[in-house]
Amino acid sequence: MKIDLTPSVRFEDRHNGPSGQNVKEMLAKIGASSLDELIDQTIPKAIQLEAPLNLPSAKSEMVFLRDFRQLAAKNKIYKSFIGLGYYDTITPGVILRNVMENPGWYTAYTPYQAEIAQGRLEALVNYQTMIMDLTGMEMANASLLDEGTAAAEAMNMLFATRPKNKKKAAKFFVDEKVFLQTKEILKTRALPVGIELVEGALADLDLTDPALYGVMLQYPNADGEAINYKELVSAAKENEVYTAFAADLLSLTLLTPPGEMGADVVVGTTQRFGVPMGFGGPHAAYFATQEAFKRQVPGRIIGISVDRDGNKAYRMALQTREQHIKRERATSNICTAQVLLAVMAGMYAVYHGPKGLKDIAAKIHGLAKLTAQGLEKLGFAQENKDYFDTIKIKADDVQQSKIQAFAVSREMNFRYEEGYVYLAFDEAKTVEDVQEIIEVFAKTTHHAADLVDLKPLMEQLDFVVSEGLERSSAYMEHMIFNAFHSEHEMLRYIKRLENRDLSLVHSMISLGSCTMKLNATAEMIPVTWPEFGQLHPFVPQDQAAGYYELFQDLRNWLSEITGFAETSLQPNSGAQGEYAGLMVIKAYHESRGENHRNIALIPSSAHGTNPASAVMAGMKVVIVKCDERGNIDMEDLKLKAEKHKEELSSFLVTYPSTHGVFEEAIREMCQIIHENGGQVYMDGANMNAQVGLTSPGVIGADVCHLNLHKTFCIPHGGGGPGMGPICVAKHLAPFLPGNPIVKTGGQTPISAISAAPFGSASILPISYAYIAMMGRDGLKNATQMAILNANYIKARLEEYFPILYTGTQGRAAHEMIVDFRAFKAVEIEVEDIAKRLIDYGFHSPTVSFPVAGTLMIEPTESETKAELDRFCDALISIRAEIKEIEDGKADPENNVLKNAPHTANMVMQDEWDFPYSREKAIYPLDYVRNSKFWPTVRRIDSAYGDRNLVCSCIPTEEYEDEVAS
């Protein structure tokens, strides 16, 4: 045997599912002679790339991780005292390894099939309960993207719910002491929807102004000072003015919560609850409010309902996907959450409990107070009267310069503003750090550091604040926060919840438009390296050289892949990317003196976030029809583009279409829009069918967003995190979003879209790794495999079910829509099929979108032929079960589909009252026996949960048996 010393296994062979022999067998079933022929029959020749992508060659996993270690080493980990909403934290090892680094948690999908997501949902209810208890509010959602976005959502929600006599009020007052990055996002979001943002000192606030509808406060504020706002809130209520607080969650273990001051909304971040800074994200923002606003709360709320046996069960409640229902009438485009990070924050609270959190907060305050007292002995004035973690030290320019030089030499970062140095403390800091700070400041004076003896000061530390500021109420008394403080019990609790959820570790999750592909271990490993996790987003650029090199490479690669000139990495979700793209288009029109262009043409088949984002960007939505084949109606598009040519801003198109088809007329569509003065925005949700074969730039679009959490391998995390960078043509590049603290974006940037300059920076290594290890050829091959897998499923299923839409040569793109509406004749709904798939060990594909009564299936390139066959066998078996009903062999009301899913508890009962065997219920095919996934609840009553909204932990007495089990 001849020995080959070159690597024999390419990363793409691990990423792509089908083997060479599989490909031949699948092509034979499809009826194509080769992959090239299949692609030519699927993608119009006119838009196929003429040359390969200009990307680096693929690296092996070993070589990539070796090289990436060198890049990571360029990031310098200094101790951060910058604050402003970002703090060092200690992630308990049991949470780091068993949640953050665990594919059982990070590869799960959004919990739309609640019966197989009970673990995640319980963890999110814990999170919501923690938020409600700490803020003193009546309800909370399951997280938002970041603190700035959450503040903007509060501003918009309160604007939409103004009282009758304030319907014309449009002023929203923002205290000048709100974090700068939050003010910037409020500015971005206010203007397009007609909100007049007023920033100023609280002393200048006129609550009697009839044009004023709301006030935003920071607690403690950007200076670090904690102020009792109770009288201000009371006066605001008398004048029917809403109050929103951005509050430090950990401080609320010591300080009076905003809810007890009468706040209408409280927002903030849970980052310091065990989630690394990560150069800005991802972090779970929280949003808490009064029950009166429950139907206007943005994002997702997890509620408690019952299953068919009356057992308590969790599910997403109320407005969970409101933008898909309300579309252009939606008040928010939020369609996701930061589930993985919310789970971590909730678990941090469960692990530490109320006493543990209070001890951490007290330590942080003690360090700040000790430092303040030590610096005062050196002659420095500390000006905050009441504070939690941040002290404000008076220092002139000369002193600041010296302090900064000495601090950097000690590898410490402070915050510097005119006349002051700010020091923010966190749980990772120690008394030794305080001593170092004293030494740094002492060097700028004529005093020696040993002038300050910290020991007697430490012995006299206590928490003393002004009357009304110290918290007196209890919090987190539920047993879930008081039962798992040993690591063993915590480990078992995390594992117990994990076992209730189906994720990619069990089977394929073939949701159309969601691209649940492999999240390779080599891609995930760097995410928890300290070089990426422990950097504050506002450190000097030379301390983040590794990050900046990563950003530059990734921007170049994504620009090449999309055929565009430049990329912004700032938007931290797909919907945020849509909004950013539309705001860039808006800025472009305004730069040309065409401010009046405000019409957005959107196909009727579009994702619901498209019209919602357009409205948020201040545009008017005009819907374009689709024909009976699912394609955009060209006559209607031309008619409406010409009708609105003077006001046309943009056309939002998904490609391939939401129906899973590469429409032949896409270039003509772009031409029509451009001829009428508009810009083409391409929704990148289906980019997994384009990479390496075609591109938005080649097609003729002007801007697109990319779902890095889909096409580029960032995992869904059970419903978040995500990233939605935008790529733009040369004429739009000057308007890419900036940041008020760190320079980024174009030459004339729009204001910030996300709180951090580069969005959720710490998960960008995942997409970087994917591109680097796949290389130019691997990326193209992956797209071909995605299209192959989809067409193989189509070929197997079309003998049993109608496939709704195909291209001109009968091919699907990377996804397809399978029609189940005919089964209504025997009372079988698509939901019954979705729930029955659980018994076969599969998560249902996308239900009833974009067509009611259908499943949209997308297998991705990462699934093997064997897995595709198991999935097809399951659906074909379900078809046979439906035929039993059609033929009168099965009861139309009491059958395996109507009763699905079947739980272990059902089949373990002594009595079995169903007209089919237990075996048929739980082992419908032989393969299920080898890897049975048991749902923990029966089908959940969604209507009951909405009528009886409960979004906090179930009562302890109902919970004890569950915990004991």
Side-chain angles (χ1 to χ4, degrees):
M1 181 184 79
K2 187 176 180 181
I3 297 174
D4 181 3
L5 296 179
T6 61
S8 58
V9 179
R10 301 173 300 173
F11 174 76
E12 71 166 281
D13 296 330
R14 302 298 194 191
H15 177 83
N16 294 334
S19 66
Q21 181 59 36
N22 290 160
V23 170
K24 292 177 183 178
E25 294 168 0
M26 294 161 75
L27 286 170
K29 177 66 177 177
I30 291 168
S33 62
S34 66
L35 274 174
D36 288 340
E37 182 182 69
L38 175 62
I39 297 306
D40 285 344
Q41 292 171 352
T42 305
I43 302 177
K45 199 73 176 172
I47 63 168
Q48 290 186 32
L49 297 181
E50 294 180 358
L53 294 173
N54 182 20
L55 293 174
S57 300
K59 292 184 178 182
S60 70
E61 294 179 52
M62 183 187 75
V63 170
F64 167 74
L65 288 172
R66 181 200 67 197
D67 292 349
F68 209 54
R69 270 287 184 197
Q70 294 173 355
L71 182 143
K74 295 178 183 179
N75 291 330
K76 302 173 185 176
I77 305 173
Y78 288 9
K79 288 182 179 177
S80 174
F81 296 86
I82 299 171
L84 290 176
Y86 302 96
Y87 307 90
D88 272 326
T89 185
I90 299 170
T91 309
V94 67
I95 296 173
L96 176 68
R97 174 160 291 189
N98 297 289
V99 178
M100 190 176 186
E101 297 178 339
N102 182 354
W105 282 95
Y106 67 67
T107 70
Y109 185 60
T110 302
Y112 293 135
Q113 298 296 327
E115 293 84 358
I116 48 177
Q118 288 297 294
R120 225 169 327 139
L121 290 167
E122 179 176 316
L124 290 174
V125 167
N126 294 346
Y127 168 88
Q128 289 177 176
T129 304
M130 168 191 79
I131 299 300
M132 292 158 61
D133 281 6
L134 289 174
T135 60
M137 302 302 281
E138 294 173 345
M139 67 180 302
N141 73 7
S143 79
L144 290 175
L145 302 174
D146 56 35
E147 181 169 326
T149 304
E153 292 291 342
M155 175 182 73
N156 285 355
M157 185 190 81
L158 297 176
F159 186 60
T161 56
R162 290 162 292 174
K164 286 183 179 179
N165 63 330
K166 285 266 187 175
K167 281 301 177 188
K168 292 186 179 180
K171 281 186 185 177
F172 189 74
F173 184 91
V174 183
D175 178 19
E176 62 184 358
K177 299 300 184 182
V178 168
F179 291 156
L180 184 57
Q181 68 270 24
T182 298
K183 289 189 288 188
E184 183 81 352
I185 295 179
L186 292 173
K187 172 184 166 185
T188 305
R189 297 279 290 272
L191 187 62
V193 295
I195 295 173
E196 181 187 350
L197 207 63
V198 179
E199 180 186 342
L202 288 180
D204 300 327
L205 172 60
D206 180 9
L207 291 169
T208 65
D209 183 351
L212 182 70
Y213 80 88
V215 176
M216 172 65 69
L217 306 163
Q218 191 86 42
Y219 180 69
N221 67 24
D223 283 354
E225 186 150 20
I227 298 170
N228 189 340
Y229 294 114
K230 192 166 186 178
E231 289 186 8
L232 186 154
V233 173
S234 179
K237 287 188 183 303
E238 288 178 10
N239 289 279
E240 295 188 282
V241 172
Y242 292 130
T243 51
F245 283 61
D248 183 298
L249 197 65
L250 191 57
S251 76
L252 303 184
T253 61
L254 300 176
L255 299 174
T256 299
E260 293 177 17
M261 295 183 190
D264 294 294
V265 184
V266 188
V267 301
T269 177
T270 59
Q271 182 265 310
R272 66 192 314 168
F273 278 52
V275 180
M277 286 187 288
F279 209 53
H283 310 135
Y286 72 84
F287 187 105
T289 188
Q290 306 292 351
E291 192 169 339
F293 297 106
K294 66 183 179 184
R295 294 191 181 275
Q296 285 78 38
V297 173
R300 296 170 178 159
I301 299 172
I302 308 305
I304 298 171
S305 189
V306 294
D307 73 359
R308 283 192 175 168
D309 290 337
N311 298 314
K312 289 283 191 295
Y314 302 101
R315 58 178 285 276
M316 293 197 294
L318 293 176
Q319 73 310 309
T320 284
R321 296 184 80 183
E322 68 113 37
Q323 78 285 350
H324 285 283
I325 299 166
K326 296 180 181 178
R327 298 178 72 81
E328 65 269 22
R329 295 180 294 105
T331 56
S332 169
N333 72 344
I334 294 290
C335 71
T336 187
Q338 296 279 30
V339 171
L340 187 68
L341 299 316
V343 167
M344 288 180 66
M347 290 296 185
Y348 181 92
V350 169
Y351 191 46
H352 287 294
K355 182 180 183 303
L357 291 183
K358 191 168 188 175
D359 288 346
I360 291 168
K363 172 199 166 185
I364 291 169
H365 174 75
L367 292 173
K369 191 167 188 176
L370 181 64
T371 305
Q373 292 176 350
L375 293 180
E376 284 168 357
K377 287 189 175 293
L378 291 176
F380 290 94
Q382 196 290 119
E383 295 198 358
N384 283 336
K385 179 184 176 187
D386 295 302
Y387 56 89
F388 165 54
D389 64 0
T390 301
I391 55 176
K392 178 182 180 182
I393 309 298
K394 194 168 182 58
D396 59 33
D397 291 348
V398 173
Q399 289 174 314
Q400 281 195 28
S401 180
K402 291 180 181 178
I403 291 167
Q404 186 167 11
F406 293 136
V408 169
S409 71
R410 296 287 190 101
E411 298 190 346
M412 293 190 293
N413 290 320
F414 304 158
R415 174 158 61 101
Y416 306 90
E417 293 184 13
E418 188 174 352
Y420 296 97
V421 177
Y422 295 86
L423 299 171
F425 290 82
D426 52 58
E427 70 166 323
K429 301 303 184 290
T430 64
V431 174
E432 288 72 25
D433 295 321
V434 174
Q435 185 63 54
E436 274 206 273
I437 291 170
I438 298 296
E439 291 170 6
V440 164
F441 276 78
K443 281 189 176 184
T444 69
T445 69
H446 299 297
H447 301 293
D450 57 12
L451 174 70
V452 181
D453 185 359
L454 294 179
K455 190 171 182 181
L457 297 177
M458 290 165 59
E459 293 171 354
Q460 297 175 21
L461 286 174
D462 53 8
F463 180 69
V464 179
V465 288
S466 299
E467 185 178 354
L469 269 179
E470 184 172 3
R471 180 165 194 152
S472 58
S473 58
Y475 52 89
M476 290 167 51
E477 294 183 295
H478 192 280
M479 69 169 296
I480 201 68
F481 300 111
N482 296 278
F484 306 119
H485 301 327
S486 77
E487 181 166 328
H488 229 154
E489 286 304 313
M490 187 68 191
L491 173 64
R492 290 165 180 159
Y493 179 62
I494 291 171
K495 197 67 182 177
R496 188 155 66 241
L497 296 194
E498 178 194 338
N499 289 342
R500 296 174 186 170
D501 284 19
L502 188 143
S503 69
L504 283 177
V505 307
H506 300 97
S507 56
M508 67 185 282
I509 300 179
S510 57
L511 284 110
S513 207
C514 289
T515 325
M516 293 290 294
K517 62 168 69 176
L518 170 72
N519 314 121
T521 306
E523 295 160 3
M524 300 302 297
I525 284 173
V527 171
T528 51
W529 289 352
E531 293 90 344
F532 293 114
Q534 291 182 15
L535 262 68
H536 192 288
F538 303 145
V539 299
Q541 185 169 338
D542 66 334
Q543 293 178 24
Y547 259 123
Y548 279 90
E549 184 176 325
L550 182 156
F551 298 152
Q552 187 60 53
D553 285 346
L554 191 54
R555 283 165 48 203
N556 290 341
W557 295 347
L558 295 178
S559 297
E560 172 67 15
I561 287 167
T562 56
F564 284 132
E566 188 53 277
T567 294
S568 168
L569 300 171
Q570 190 176 123
N572 53 4
S573 80
Q576 292 294 93
E578 289 175 14
Y579 179 68
L582 291 172
M583 290 297 286
V584 164
I585 288 173
K586 185 183 180 75
Y588 167 74
H589 286 312
E590 289 174 354
S591 75
R592 293 159 54 88
E594 297 184 319
N595 303 38
H596 56 280
R597 289 194 174 275
N598 67 344
I599 296 290
L601 300 182
I602 302 179
S604 59
S605 61
H607 295 101
T609 53
N610 285 182
S613 295
V615 170
M616 285 172 52
M619 297 180 187
K620 295 178 182 178
V621 173
V622 174
I623 301 298
V624 177
K625 297 175 186 175
C626 289
D627 63 23
E628 68 281 354
R629 293 184 59 81
N631 297 321
I632 292 169
D633 186 320
M634 291 298 293
E635 288 302 314
D636 195 50
L637 175 64
K638 190 172 183 180
L639 177 72
K640 286 171 177 169
E642 290 176 351
K643 178 182 177 181
H644 298 289
K645 66 183 300 181
E646 298 303 323
E647 300 86 29
L648 181 61
S649 167
S650 50
F651 171 52
L652 281 70
V653 61
T654 301
Y655 198 75
S657 72
T658 312
H659 295 118
V661 175
F662 282 94
E663 297 182 50
E664 300 274 352
I666 184 64
R667 274 191 168 169
E668 186 183 346
M669 294 179 206
C670 296
Q671 186 177 349
I672 289 169
I673 299 305
H674 290 145
E675 286 174 351
N676 289 281
Q679 295 283 288
V680 177
Y681 172 89
M682 187 169 284
D683 185 318
N686 292 344
M687 194 67 195
N688 207 47
Q690 287 194 41
V691 179
L693 300 179
T694 184
S695 74
V698 165
I699 290 165
D702 301 288
V703 55
C704 76
H705 86 268
L706 299 173
N707 290 329
L708 297 189
H709 50 287
K710 295 181 180 181
T711 303
F712 295 94
C713 288
I714 292 175
H716 280 244
M723 275 292 274
I726 56 170
C727 307
V728 299
K730 186 177 181 180
H731 62 282
L732 296 181
F735 309 103
L736 289 173
N739 180 275
I741 299 173
V742 176
K743 183 174 181 354
T744 185
Q747 293 173 330
T748 53
I750 62 170
S751 48
I753 296 295
S754 303
F758 301 98
S760 295
S762 68
I763 54 175
L764 291 176
I766 301 168
S767 298
Y768 184 99
Y770 172 63
I771 297 171
M773 291 190 293
M774 290 294 278
R776 177 188 68 189
D777 297 335
L779 290 172
K780 176 184 176 181
N781 294 340
T783 310
Q784 291 178 324
M785 290 297 173
I787 292 172
L788 173 70
N789 281 0
N791 280 280
Y792 178 70
I793 287 182
K794 173 183 170 292
R796 285 211 60 193
L797 294 183
E798 63 190 356
E799 301 170 30
Y800 303 89
F801 308 98
I803 309 298
L804 273 190
Y805 308 109
T806 58
T808 55
Q809 298 189 56
R811 301 303 186 194
H814 63 313
E815 63 189 6
M816 79 215 74
I817 297 174
V818 183
D819 192 357
F820 298 91
R821 289 173 293 184
F823 305 133
K824 285 178 177 283
V826 288
E827 304 299 322
I828 293 298
E829 302 289 342
V830 69
E831 182 188 20
D832 300 319
I833 295 163
K835 301 307 179 188
R836 181 57 174 156
L837 272 169
I838 295 171
D839 291 329
Y840 287 81
F842 286 106
H843 192 296
S844 170
T846 304
V847 176
S848 291
F849 177 80
V851 180
T854 67
L855 293 180
M856 182 161 59
I857 301 172
E858 179 180 356
T860 83
E861 69 273 14
S862 295
E863 300 303 338
T864 62
K865 179 178 179 293
E867 185 71 357
L868 301 180
D869 282 333
R870 276 193 290 271
F871 176 75
C872 291
D873 289 347
L875 277 175
I876 292 166
S877 177
I878 289 171
R879 179 65 186 93
E881 292 170 350
I882 296 172
K883 192 169 191 314
E884 290 176 351
I885 302 169
E886 294 171 332
D887 294 345
K889 296 178 182 177
D891 190 302
E893 296 181 0
N894 189 6
N895 56 65
V896 286
L897 284 100
K898 287 294 183 185
N899 292 322
H902 297 80
T903 63
N905 188 53
M906 288 174 68
V907 297
M908 291 298 291
Q909 297 296 319
D910 290 337
E911 294 186 10
W912 181 258
D913 296 328
F914 302 102
Y916 49 88
S917 69
R918 298 176 202 248
E919 184 177 42
K920 185 181 182 72
I922 63 171
Y923 297 133
L925 290 174
D926 283 344
Y927 77 79
V928 182
R929 295 177 183 274
N930 297 324
S931 57
K932 178 67 181 175
F933 181 88
W934 291 100
T936 52
V937 296
R938 294 190 64 191
R939 197 176 304 190
I940 295 171
D941 186 336
S942 297
Y944 177 93
D946 281 352
R947 289 194 307 269
N948 305 276
L949 180 64
V950 177
C951 57
S952 59
C953 294
I954 59 177
T956 294
E957 59 270 20
E958 297 183 36
Y959 203 85
E960 285 172 345
D961 292 341
E962 167 64 18
V963 172
S965 70

